[in-house]
Amino acid sequence: MDFTQSVTLKAFASKRILITGTTGFVGKVVLEKLLRTVTGVGRVYVLIRGNRTWPSARERFVNEVATSSIFDTLREQQPELFEHHCRHTIRCITGELTESRFGLSESAFRQLGQDVDLIINAAASVDFREPLSEALNTNTLCLHTIADLALIRKIPVVHVSTCYVNGYN
């Protein structure tokens, strides 16, 4: 199959994409696939919560995400492209998915909504020992904020479903 002719790859070209969950397994895979296969991908925004070790999204991205083995192929086969993406394509946003407006100011939230063409929500809690209220916040209720962001310009959302999203099973 000739992937250079993929309708999906063409649709993603030059798009400005927000990805949530890039510190997790699925989010890293999504980011790597975008960077490696989408020729001319526009800007990629990653919403990352700071932690004790790396308080800013950029620090955490550089030290926890970009160093992940998922990027080994890209790093080895196209090191200049990987470096370019890390320095210029990827924009790190320090925020909390479960907070109103991701913890951003109203103006920063609106600006983000103006800047992106597509949202990929890959954030999730897959810890079945976590209190249900916390898992629901991360896996379902945060979608209200994602929808609010998408409605700023009526942009599409790709939601990666995970545990606690089907209330009947």
Side-chain angles (χ1 to χ4, degrees):
M1 174 177 244
D2 182 9
F3 289 107
T4 60
Q5 301 302 313
S6 166
V7 173
T8 304
L9 292 180
K10 286 180 182 178
F12 278 71
S14 76
K15 294 294 188 267
R16 299 164 301 172
I17 302 165
L18 169 67
I19 305 174
T20 66
T22 54
T23 59
F25 176 77
V26 174
K28 284 178 191 167
V29 171
V30 169
L31 177 61
E32 189 276 342
K33 186 73 170 178
L34 277 172
L35 297 179
R36 187 171 43 84
T37 62
V38 178
T39 303
V41 67
R43 183 142 293 139
V44 178
Y45 296 85
V46 292
L47 180 72
I48 298 175
R49 173 182 54 227
N51 61 21
R52 287 185 188 133
T53 307
W54 313 112
S56 78
R58 187 73 188 162
E59 290 173 303
R60 193 166 177 203
F61 174 81
V62 167
N63 291 286
E64 289 185 12
V65 178
T67 58
S68 175
S69 62
I70 190 70
F71 296 103
D72 286 352
T73 299
L74 184 57
R75 233 188 324 267
E76 291 167 9
Q77 293 179 357
Q78 298 176 299
E80 300 86 18
L81 180 63
F82 181 70
E83 186 64 29
H84 173 81
H85 283 320
C86 286
R87 290 187 184 273
H88 303 290
T89 306
I90 298 168
R91 295 286 186 244
C92 299
I93 301 167
T94 303
E96 170 54 53
L97 189 70
T98 61
E99 289 184 22
S100 174
R101 297 187 313 266
F102 307 135
L104 303 174
S105 68
E106 177 68 34
S107 62
F109 186 77
R110 290 202 59 74
Q111 186 62 54
L112 180 60
Q114 292 295 328
D115 289 347
V116 297
D117 301 311
L118 169 70
I119 300 168
I120 300 174
N121 180 39
S125 171
V126 293
D127 180 357
F128 286 100
R129 293 188 182 113
E130 182 176 43
L132 183 58
S133 61
E134 291 176 28
L136 284 172
N137 274 338
T138 303
N139 294 352
T140 58
L141 300 178
C142 70
L143 290 172
H144 291 289
T145 304
I146 290 171
D148 290 343
L149 185 69
L151 287 172
I152 291 172
R153 284 190 36 239
K154 296 187 173 128
I155 60 173
V157 174
V158 176
H159 175 70
V160 179
S161 182
T162 187
C163 57
Y164 301 118
V165 296
N166 184 340
Y168 295 109
N169 294 318

